[in-house]
């Protein structure tokens, strides 16, 4: 059971090594990288490539670790007891199984995605340490112990918004997805926009990397954003000549797909003004 990438996902050699190492070690794969570099999509592609079902747990700022195990609905049980409902006699009727429970009780091995773990509070990863180690947890309301029938392939993503605790990091295999170089980006574009004219692609990617390298940029455009931009360029039937900037504006065509805040737009407008002033 080895991951080598898929037809729709360009995986670099170091990324495939990381995925396969985590599978071999049976440890969670912690994937960090800029937003839009394909961290979440990696889990879906691993699932597809290995032919395994996938369970997704998307983390929010309000998510608690307990929700991944189970939730006990005491309010509903109290209401049903007042109504004389017979199902109140079995507390299991009020236990909602979380994503970890679903992964643990699956008939076969699954891919479990814990997406953007750094959105939750700092205690979230600490509260999962035992479950990651033992692959089991106790349900206090019913007295049962839920143990993984098959250890899931666990992929955990982080956008590096906050530091994760050392005890949690020790239990993971770590990989940082570096931003693709221009050759890798060409391969990625070819997957999503096959047949794009080389002159257009060369001009567009040159402008894209120039934007990313611009000093003072608040938010660098990501892989997903350059793919959106290229889709727009193709939809508008623009050529490499159309992309050439005339000096009146340092902004690329359809820049709203790449620049996502007014500070960065103003930055390029100032650059154009300074260039005109020096003429």
């Amino acid at each position: 059971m080895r991951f080598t990438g898929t037809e729709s996902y360009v995986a670099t050699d170091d990324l495939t090594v990381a995925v396969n190492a985590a599978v071999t070690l049976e440890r969670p794969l912690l994937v960090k990288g800029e937003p839009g570099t394909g961290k979440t999509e990696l889990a879906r592609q691993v699932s597809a490539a290995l032919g395994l079902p996938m369970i997704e747990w998307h983390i929010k700022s309000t998510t608690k670790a307990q929700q991944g195990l189970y939730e006990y609905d005491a309010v509903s049980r109290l209401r049903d007891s007042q109504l004389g409902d017979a199902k109140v006699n079995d507390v299991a009727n009020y236990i909602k199984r979380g994503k970890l429970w679903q992964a643990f009780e699956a008939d076969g091995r699954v891919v479990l995605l814990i997406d953007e773990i750094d959105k939750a509070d700092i205690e979230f990863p600490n509260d999962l340490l035992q479950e990651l180690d033992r692959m089991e947890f106790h349900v206090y309301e019913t007295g049962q112990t839920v143990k993984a029938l098959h250890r899931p392939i666990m992929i955990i993503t982080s956008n590096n918004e906050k530091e994760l605790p050392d005890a949690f990091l020790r239990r993971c295999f770590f990989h940082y997805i570096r931003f693709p170089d221009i050759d890798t980006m060409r391969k990625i574009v070819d997957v999503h926009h096959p047949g794009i004219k080389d002159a257009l692609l060369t001009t567009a990617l040159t402008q894209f990397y120039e934007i990313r390298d611009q000093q003072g940029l608040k938010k660098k455009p990501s892989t997903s954003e350059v793919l959106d931009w290229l889709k727009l360029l193709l939809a508008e039937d623009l050529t490499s000549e159309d992309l050439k900037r005339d000096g009146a504006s340092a902004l690329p065509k359809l820049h709203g797909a790449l620049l996502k805040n007014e500070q960065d737009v103003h930055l390029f407008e100032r650059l154009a003004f300074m260039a005109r002033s020096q003429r």
Side-chain angles (χ1 to χ4, degrees), residues 14 34 36 64 66 127 160 162 166 168 179 197 199 212 250 255 258 261:
D14 57 343
E34 291 182 32
K64 302 298 181 186
Q66 179 64 33
D127 291 341
N160 242 354
K162 63 169 68 80
D166 290 344
F168 175 79
F179 196 82
K197 292 181 179 178
R212 278 189 56 87
H255 64 269
L258 299 175
N261 59 69

Side-chain angles (χ1 to χ4, degrees), residues 56-121:
E56 300 186 30
W57 186 15
H58 298 282
I59 308 304
K60 301 178 181 179
S61 60
T62 55
T63 304
K64 302 298 181 186
Q66 179 64 33
Q67 294 172 301
L69 309 180
Y70 69 92
E71 293 181 272
Y72 169 52
D73 192 351
V75 174
S76 292
R77 192 181 188 198
L78 174 61
R79 183 185 64 245
D80 289 345
S81 67
Q82 293 171 338
L83 296 173
D85 195 322
K87 73 177 184 180
V88 300
N89 297 318
D90 185 359
V91 69
N93 290 323
Y94 302 93
I95 300 291
K96 179 182 179 182
R97 299 179 181 187
K99 299 296 185 179
L100 279 172
W101 190 333
Q102 294 173 30
F104 284 5
E105 72 172 4
D107 293 334
R109 205 171 192 188
V110 302
V111 174
L112 174 62
L113 168 66
I114 302 179
D115 197 29
E116 297 188 323
I117 193 172
D118 51 328
K119 280 188 176 180
D121 64 52

